Amino acid sequence: MTDLPGIVVTGASGRMGQMLIQTITQSDRAQLVGTVERAGHDWVDRDVGECMGGSALGVTVTDDPLEAFAKAQVVIDFTAPTATIEFANLAAQARAVHVIGTTGMTDEDLAALKPAARHAIIVRAGNMSLGVNLLTQLTKKVAAALDEDFDIEIIESHHNQKVDAPSGTALMLGEAAAEGRGVSLNEAADRGRDGITGARTRGQIGFHAIRGGDIVGEHDVLFAAPGERITLRHVASDRAVFARGALKAALWGLGKKPGEYDMLDVLGLNDG
């Protein structure tokens, strides 16, 4: 096992953190060498496998990310924007590939990642699944083929514990649609309607967020014109698809030149 690339998972106690840990420990292509949680969390200084209700994995949860990163070739990070920016700088110091699945990042947050990307490999995506990244490419192509007679609406559904809206995937799809149309998403987006809003503005890209139960993730891109509609849809029924995608990104990033990459690069779908 010692010759396998070592991976650290941040946010170990979270939904995605635990799924990532399971996916890595079941893989024959990588090994789990560290897990990180915030200071004061009751998992700190305990074996992560036992914390998850299983057998010991021989990996202790730490609140010192730099110490953990120093032992790893890859950091996989599905946490929160503030934490991710800190982790990016520490991962760059450790020369570790940083795979980021964190959502809710603002333009300022993304700009804060750039100094780290000058020294290390960052692979970031609003969604790590193969299907969603194919959907992104399809959305761009359909938006480019249809004029503004077709209104674009993006509808996303997630579990009731998700803290950001629209989802990172919805925004990724919106960016794809805007790129296909040759417009700026910041100028075209309509992210909320309530009350007497008046008629829909031609050319806008609408967003709608549904939160309920344990929905893993559903995304629809609707193209609606008088007399016809086209709907592109992706449904995730198992969070493991994101963990498998993140592991694929982690292994792909090894040996790459420093810089920022996304899942389209990983999957060979980036048409530039």
Side-chain angles (χ1 to χ4, degrees):
M1 292 290 290
T2 56
D3 60 341
L4 295 177
I7 299 180
V8 169
V9 173
T10 63
S13 71
R15 292 170 184 252
M16 274 306 304
Q18 295 190 51
M19 182 57 69
L20 286 162
I21 290 165
Q22 292 175 24
T23 300
I24 295 163
T25 55
Q26 292 168 4
S27 172
D28 60 1
R29 297 182 297 159
Q31 60 179 325
L32 183 72
V33 297
T35 53
V36 176
E37 260 301 343
R38 65 186 181 277
H41 195 282
D42 60 7
W43 282 26
V44 173
D45 293 330
R46 298 171 56 197
D47 186 282
V48 70
E50 294 176 345
C51 290
M52 291 168 57
S55 58
L57 294 175
V59 176
T60 301
V61 181
T62 181
D63 59 6
D64 185 344
L66 185 55
E67 179 185 17
F69 295 178
K71 300 181 293 185
Q73 285 73 57
V74 182
V75 175
I76 303 183
D77 175 20
F78 284 68
T79 54
T82 301
T84 290
I85 293 167
E86 177 187 356
F87 293 149
N89 292 324
L90 297 177
Q93 289 181 45
R95 296 297 188 266
V97 176
H98 189 192
V99 177
I100 300 174
T102 300
T103 62
M105 300 190 77
T106 65
D107 289 343
E108 290 75 18
D109 295 330
L110 297 178
L113 297 176
K114 292 189 179 300
R118 289 199 289 268
H119 306 287
I121 299 100
I122 293 178
V123 184
R124 188 190 67 83
N127 194 298
M128 294 285 175
S129 87
L130 170 60
V132 161
N133 283 279
L134 288 170
L135 176 62
T136 301
Q137 290 295 80
L138 289 170
T139 297
K140 178 180 174 181
K141 291 181 183 300
V142 174
L146 301 174
D147 63 21
E148 291 185 349
D149 286 343
F150 281 81
D151 299 321
I152 303 175
E153 297 285 312
I154 299 171
I155 306 100
E156 53 101 342
S157 303
H158 285 87
H159 55 86
N160 58 19
Q161 299 301 301
K162 186 168 178 61
V163 299
D164 59 305
S167 69
T169 302
L171 293 172
M172 186 168 73
L173 293 168
E175 289 284 1
E179 187 175 350
R181 283 271 170 93
V183 299
S184 163
L185 182 61
N186 287 337
E187 295 177 3
D190 183 350
R191 294 175 56 162
R193 302 188 186 111
D194 184 40
I196 308 301
T197 62
R200 189 186 195 283
T201 301
R202 181 179 171 87
Q204 282 188 334
I205 298 172
F207 290 87
H208 311 275
I210 296 168
R211 298 289 177 265
D214 61 355
I215 301 170
V216 172
E218 301 178 4
H219 293 85
D220 292 86
V221 183
L222 172 67
F223 297 85
E228 60 181 330
R229 294 191 298 275
I230 301 167
T231 301
L232 305 178
R233 183 166 219 231
H234 180 270
V235 176
S237 57
D238 186 343
R239 196 166 273 104
V241 301
F242 310 127
R244 289 194 293 268
L247 178 57
K248 183 179 181 72
L251 297 172
W252 177 89
L254 294 169
K256 295 294 186 295
K257 294 180 180 179
E260 294 183 73
Y261 303 90
D262 60 25
M263 283 301 288
L264 298 180
D265 295 308
V266 174
L267 299 170
L269 296 173
N270 216 332
D271 57 12

